[in-house]
Amino acid sequence: MNIWEISENRLKIIATGKGYGCIYFFLFLFGLSISSVSSLFLYSNWEKGNYPDLFLTSFFFVFGLVFISVFVNRKVINYDSVVVLDNQDKTLEYYKEEDYKIQLEYENFSHIELIKEIKYTEGKSRTAYDSYQIFLIKRDGAQFWLDSFLDADLFQEQAKKLQSFINWNMKDFSGFGLSVENKDTMRNLAGAKTYMPSKFVELKSEMEGMEIQIKKPGNFGTSFILFTIFYIFFGFPVYFLYSAFIDTKDDEVGIIFGMIALVFVSIFLSIVLLIFLLHMKRYSLLVNRKSLMIRMQYPLFIDWLFGAKMEIPVDKIRYIRVNRLDEGHIWLSLLTHRSVQYPGGLKGLLFQMGFFSRKNPFSKNTEEWTVIGLWEVPFQEKPSNNLSFIDLLFVEKTLEEQLGLEEECIEDEFYK
């Protein structure tokens, strides 16, 4: 859970990343040890002219560099965030860095919502556990996560504390009967504020409409980490295949084994290639009064082979929302009619893999409607080095204006 600090008129909820510093330092020491030892073997194999072993040893050297790079690149990561509920000003303030504050009036919100979600531990023996979560629901239906709990008693205590502090309606879907109906709740939908985008969002006017290009952050550290990872995942299978054929070139059984290895290595490399292509994609939205077109583009000739697009007519779009989900991930989502068709073939596979799909307990997928994730900003990203909540709010507002969509209040079948 997060840290709750409450005073007469202010409730501050602080999410911290304490403890991660030790993990990063351990990764640095681990990487330094591997790279140091493997560098000695690199030098030895170079002196002996043992080039196959030199190639193999380079994988361990690069593997160690990955962990060192993660430690060096940690400054672009920020696990801390702050939410302030101010009863005097009737506002909610959210920020990860002081220069990137978002302020929302209470009138933007409808109620508090409590849910219980079943999650699973990572690893081979996956164990189910209950995660109790507190959300504020905006009047347009968007979700704003406040905190998650493993302790059911503490969850109930904090939920009651929150409701008594802001005195809003509270809907309980966790099974504890904590729902509260307050007749004096807000009824007017506050006007949306205007936010200015960062350098990671670019607008271009085209003949077909307005293009919104969402850029990926780039720095040397991140690029180096990606290069070393792909070097390992491409190089090691190739070395394994080379060794299989060289060691068994005069053995019929060995040749058969080598052919079987070739099939599996080819499949593995194809998967790695798909992941590599996804990292190279350029993501953009082309919007006008008639439709929204989602485009996945790639550099040079690769775009001709793998580039794809999907056009969604405006009458097939129910809503566009920016949500703050569990743990603080910021998610721009779109509710579309199921009749909308995805591109086919390999292009379609890459296209759907490029979407930012996330399990969302509020996703009201039905036989008629389905939720598409347009973009996600992970909770650990710093606003000064990546897209932020503000950027996605700007994209949401721009799309709604260009499509002529109006934000709907949520007194409908989705949130009753």
Side-chain angles (χ1 to χ4, degrees):
M1 64 163 288
N2 299 327
I3 300 171
W4 290 47
E5 297 178 356
I6 190 167
S7 60
E8 183 178 355
N9 290 312
R10 287 166 62 90
L11 171 61
K12 180 183 287 190
I13 302 174
I14 306 169
T16 68
K18 290 182 178 179
Y20 285 100
C22 295
I23 295 175
Y24 281 119
F25 186 67
F26 172 78
L27 292 177
F28 171 75
L29 293 178
F30 181 69
L32 184 63
S33 300
I34 293 177
S35 294
S36 299
V37 173
S38 58
S39 63
L40 297 177
F41 284 97
L42 278 174
Y43 178 77
S44 176
N45 288 322
W46 176 266
E47 287 286 308
K48 297 175 182 178
N50 191 354
Y51 298 113
D53 286 348
L54 179 69
F55 189 52
L56 177 62
T57 309
S58 70
F59 293 130
F60 292 96
F61 179 74
V62 172
F63 183 69
L65 290 181
V66 171
F67 292 97
I68 296 174
S69 300
V70 169
F71 174 79
V72 174
N73 204 45
R74 72 192 186 283
K75 291 183 179 180
V76 302
I77 295 175
N78 178 16
Y79 294 95
D80 300 342
S81 64
V82 178
V83 175
V84 179
L85 292 162
D86 192 320
N87 277 347
Q88 185 171 347
D89 295 335
K90 302 295 182 183
T91 59
L92 177 147
E93 189 175 70
Y94 165 76
Y95 61 92
K96 289 178 70 68
E97 295 179 279
E98 288 287 341
D99 294 336
Y100 295 87
K101 288 185 177 181
I102 297 174
Q103 192 173 74
L104 300 171
E105 286 76 17
Y106 278 5
E107 285 79 7
N108 278 285
F109 294 90
S110 169
H111 61 275
I112 305 165
E113 196 146 307
L114 311 178
I115 68 166
K116 180 178 76 171
E117 184 181 4
I118 298 176
K119 293 191 173 185
Y120 296 88
T121 57
E122 297 180 357
K124 294 182 179 180
S125 57
R126 300 183 68 199
T127 304
Y129 66 93
D130 293 331
S131 173
Y132 302 96
Q133 301 165 18
I134 300 177
F135 284 84
L136 301 181
I137 306 299
K138 295 178 65 178
R139 292 190 63 79
D140 67 351
Q143 307 97 40
F144 190 94
W145 172 78
L146 288 183
D147 205 350
S148 298
F149 304 82
L150 298 179
D151 187 319
D153 293 333
L154 183 58
F155 162 72
Q156 295 178 69
E157 178 186 336
Q158 298 297 73
K160 292 175 182 177
K161 183 185 298 184
L162 173 66
Q163 196 283 325
S164 64
F165 180 78
I166 55 179
N167 197 31
W168 296 0
N169 285 349
M170 185 159 70
K171 298 184 180 182
D172 180 18
F173 298 98
S174 64
F176 293 111
L178 300 177
S179 295
V180 175
E181 184 72 24
N182 178 16
K183 295 182 179 180
D184 297 326
T185 188
M186 293 80 68
R187 290 296 175 188
N188 298 318
L189 181 62
K193 288 188 174 182
T194 301
Y195 295 101
M196 296 304 296
S198 69
K199 61 182 179 181
F200 300 110
V201 177
E202 183 176 327
L203 300 184
K204 292 182 181 179
S205 295
E206 296 190 0
M207 292 292 293
E208 300 89 347
M210 175 75 73
E211 182 189 42
I212 305 173
Q213 184 178 338
I214 301 177
K215 300 179 178 180
K216 282 187 174 183
N219 58 68
F220 176 78
T222 303
S223 300
F224 183 76
I225 291 173
L226 289 175
F227 168 77
T228 53
I229 290 174
F230 282 113
Y231 173 78
I232 294 171
F233 279 92
F234 265 103
F236 191 79
V238 172
Y239 174 81
F240 170 78
L241 195 62
Y242 169 80
S243 300
F245 276 106
I246 291 298
D247 295 340
T248 60
K249 60 183 179 180
D250 297 325
D251 184 354
E252 292 184 2
V253 176
I255 292 175
I256 295 175
F257 171 76
M259 296 302 295
I260 296 174
L262 176 62
V263 173
F264 284 99
V265 168
S266 299
I267 295 172
F268 179 79
L269 290 179
S270 298
I271 296 173
V272 174
L273 177 62
L274 288 176
I275 298 173
F276 181 70
L277 287 172
L278 290 176
H279 279 282
M280 295 180 65
K281 74 177 184 293
R282 186 171 70 90
Y283 184 89
S284 65
L285 307 170
L286 185 63
V287 59
N288 54 44
R289 285 287 177 179
K290 296 181 179 180
S291 65
L292 168 64
M293 183 181 291
I294 306 171
R295 300 192 292 195
M296 300 282 187
Q297 298 170 300
Y298 300 87
L300 304 175
F301 70 91
I302 302 178
D303 187 60
W304 179 78
L305 293 172
F306 301 108
K309 57 186 178 181
M310 180 175 74
E311 188 170 11
I312 307 174
V314 65
D315 61 346
K316 302 295 184 183
I317 300 174
R318 176 70 180 269
Y319 63 67
I320 303 166
R321 290 175 181 163
V322 178
N323 312 279
R324 185 179 187 234
L325 299 182
D326 185 20
E327 296 182 349
H329 302 282
I330 311 301
W331 196 52
L332 176 65
S333 64
L334 178 76
L335 188 69
T336 63
H337 199 271
R338 285 193 179 274
S339 61
V340 174
Q341 296 294 316
Y342 289 93
L346 179 59
K347 289 185 177 182
L349 175 63
L350 278 170
F351 191 83
Q352 294 186 55
M353 288 175 66
F355 277 140
F356 297 84
S357 300
R358 173 168 286 278
K359 183 182 179 184
N360 178 9
F362 293 93
S363 293
K364 305 298 179 179
N365 291 321
T366 67
E367 293 182 359
E368 187 177 5
W369 300 94
T370 183
V371 178
I372 293 176
L374 291 181
W375 198 266
E376 178 182 339
V377 180
F379 75 99
Q380 72 272 17
E381 298 290 349
K382 293 178 68 173
S384 55
N385 292 295
N386 202 334
L387 276 87
S388 67
F389 204 155
I390 293 174
D391 289 314
L392 295 191
L393 287 172
F394 173 81
V395 173
E396 176 196 28
K397 185 63 177 177
T398 302
L399 290 175
E400 289 174 343
E401 289 177 350
Q402 294 295 319
L403 290 167
L405 295 176
E406 293 184 2
E407 289 189 344
E408 60 179 28
C409 291
I410 58 174
E411 281 72 21
D412 56 24
E413 70 271 19
F414 284 90
Y415 283 94
K416 282 185 175 180

